[in-house]
Amino acid sequence: MRAARYHGEDDLRVEDVPEPTVAADEVLVDLRAASLCGSDVNYLTGKTDPATDPITLGHEGAGVVEAVGESVESVSVGDRVAIHYIRSCGTCRPCSSGHDNQCRNRESIGHHVDGTFAEYIAVPERALVALPDGIPFGVGSIAGCAVATGYHAVQRAEVSPGDAVVVFGAGGVGLHAVLWADHVGAATVIAVDLDDHQLEAAAEYGADVTLNPERDDVQERILAETDGWAADSAIECSGSAVAMEGAIEAIDGRNGYESGTVVSVGIQTEDIAVGFGDVREGQLRVVGDHLRSELQDIVRLLETEAVDVSPSITHEITLEEIQDGVDLVLEGDERVGRVVIDTTSA
């Protein structure tokens, strides 16, 4: 089969590899769609590294069950599925309490083990979520990370109806944080980004106010929009240390005695400083991966059309064109949302 393999920084090769075999508790998925995430691009630019090299990249994917291991009971050949990229043990204390993202024995698809930029993938049974017929494979693919990470961030921020929420970074994850904040009833959703194309998309997804730091005084506007109280929650999705400092300032009201919740989502590669008064009576959370149960919630909402994330998919390419997709993300000359890869055309 064909797969896109990482061989080091700036070295992505589409090549022939053996089709995976399945263990007793695993499922072979005929992938129909995968999507490109910022973390994949970070590997190729040297910002971060996967756990092993070479490796098939990709952790967002959806497809059809091709074969099942002898102990598999919850899915059958022909079932449509979305992939939850965490390979958890299912038995440790976090797993037993439903927090598979904190599994002591976990591995991540596309980071520790071969991922979704391929025609087929073998994954544990528990790493699959049923994908109803009405949800396209491309949407099922992005639901497994970009959509779910934004959902998890809003959950961890404990956004409530009537809240003021600021999202820093309106990229793939940030747009969905905007969408979910609006969905749960936030009264004021503010999106901050340097790219006006992304800000336009954020407005379409429910942002009431869009700010570009190159021309707007972001902190003064946040205070003006909240009558001086500052934001109840600030969600940082860009990975920029400057944006992270802005998120911390965004929850600090004028009198200094109240503050909200900062949720750090984007991978921070630089140190940041947090003063004691910055989060007085507030909190700072660094979130990891979403939960499998959250992906199930999202699929139900997509099925009932309570939300529509299809506008997030701005480009579709073949597996052989994957380097073009990476270049598209890096160049940023136009609005680039999620780039979905048709893995059947390998």
Side-chain angles (χ1 to χ4, degrees):
M1 70 173 188
R2 300 288 278 169
R5 305 275 288 171
Y6 168 92
H7 288 270
E9 183 178 340
D10 199 29
D11 189 355
L12 183 64
R13 310 175 198 171
V14 179
E15 52 196 10
D16 290 313
V17 297
E19 185 178 306
T21 57
V22 294
D25 65 342
E26 288 186 327
V27 174
L28 182 68
V29 178
D30 176 359
L31 288 161
R32 303 298 174 85
S35 40
L36 191 61
C37 180
S39 60
D40 301 308
V41 177
N42 286 343
Y43 296 151
L44 293 167
T45 58
K47 187 175 181 180
T48 55
D49 299 300
T52 187
D53 173 7
I55 187 173
T56 300
L57 292 183
H59 54 273
E60 303 181 8
V64 177
V65 174
E66 178 80 6
V68 298
E70 58 187 24
S71 67
V72 172
E73 298 180 349
S74 65
V75 296
S76 303
V77 172
D79 286 354
R80 302 173 87 252
V81 292
I83 292 173
H84 177 51
Y85 62 76
I86 296 172
R87 294 172 60 108
S88 59
C89 71
T91 58
C92 68
R93 186 169 67 183
C95 281
S96 298
S97 63
H99 295 90
D100 58 298
N101 62 345
Q102 298 178 24
C103 175
R104 176 169 289 182
N105 307 296
R106 62 164 284 177
E107 293 178 320
S108 294
I109 291 169
H111 178 77
H112 297 97
V113 297
D114 286 337
T116 57
F117 294 166
E119 294 181 86
Y120 294 93
I121 188 172
V123 295
E125 176 183 11
R126 70 174 64 89
L128 296 175
V129 170
L131 188 68
D133 290 339
I135 301 176
F137 288 113
V139 171
S141 172
I142 69 170
C145 179
V147 179
T149 301
Y151 182 92
H152 182 63
V154 169
Q155 295 295 311
R156 295 298 290 152
E158 299 178 358
V159 177
S160 300
D163 279 0
V165 180
V166 185
V167 177
F168 286 81
V173 172
L175 283 179
H176 296 105
V178 167
L179 179 146
W180 292 118
D182 181 63
H183 177 74
V184 301
T188 304
V189 181
I190 301 171
V192 182
D193 201 285
L194 293 168
D195 188 328
D196 286 335
H197 293 107
Q198 298 303 124
L199 291 175
E200 290 171 8
E204 293 173 5
Y205 265 9
D208 302 292
V209 179
T210 59
L211 303 175
N212 186 324
E214 291 185 335
R215 61 171 178 268
D216 297 311
D217 187 328
V218 171
Q219 300 304 329
E220 279 302 314
R221 286 292 304 277
I222 291 171
L223 290 173
E225 295 292 338
T226 60
D227 295 326
W229 289 98
D232 297 291
S233 303
I235 301 173
E236 202 298 297
C237 298
S238 71
S240 161
V242 172
M244 186 63 196
E245 291 170 355
I248 294 169
E249 186 177 354
I251 64 164
D252 190 8
R254 282 202 173 103
N255 69 18
Y257 288 101
E258 73 284 337
S259 62
T261 299
V262 173
V263 174
S264 176
V265 182
I267 297 173
Q268 295 287 329
T269 57
E270 299 178 27
D271 292 338
I272 59 169
V274 182
F276 174 80
D278 293 338
V279 289
R280 186 181 189 275
E281 290 298 322
Q283 55 188 334
L284 171 60
R285 290 176 165 174
V286 179
V287 299
D289 307 286
H290 64 276
L291 305 174
R292 181 175 182 271
S293 60
E294 290 174 330
L295 180 54
Q296 291 174 317
D297 291 342
I298 290 165
V299 168
R300 283 192 289 268
L301 290 168
L302 293 172
E303 183 182 20
T304 60
E305 300 182 344
V307 294
D308 178 16
V309 299
S310 59
S312 298
I313 301 173
T314 58
H315 298 78
E316 297 185 42
I317 60 175
T318 67
L319 186 60
E320 300 291 341
E321 296 170 328
I322 191 167
Q323 184 60 54
D324 294 335
V326 173
D327 293 341
L328 191 65
V329 172
L330 290 173
E331 290 165 3
D333 294 333
E334 57 183 295
R335 190 211 153 195
V336 180
R338 237 34 184 188
V339 178
V340 170
I341 303 155
D342 177 1
T343 50
T344 65
S345 59

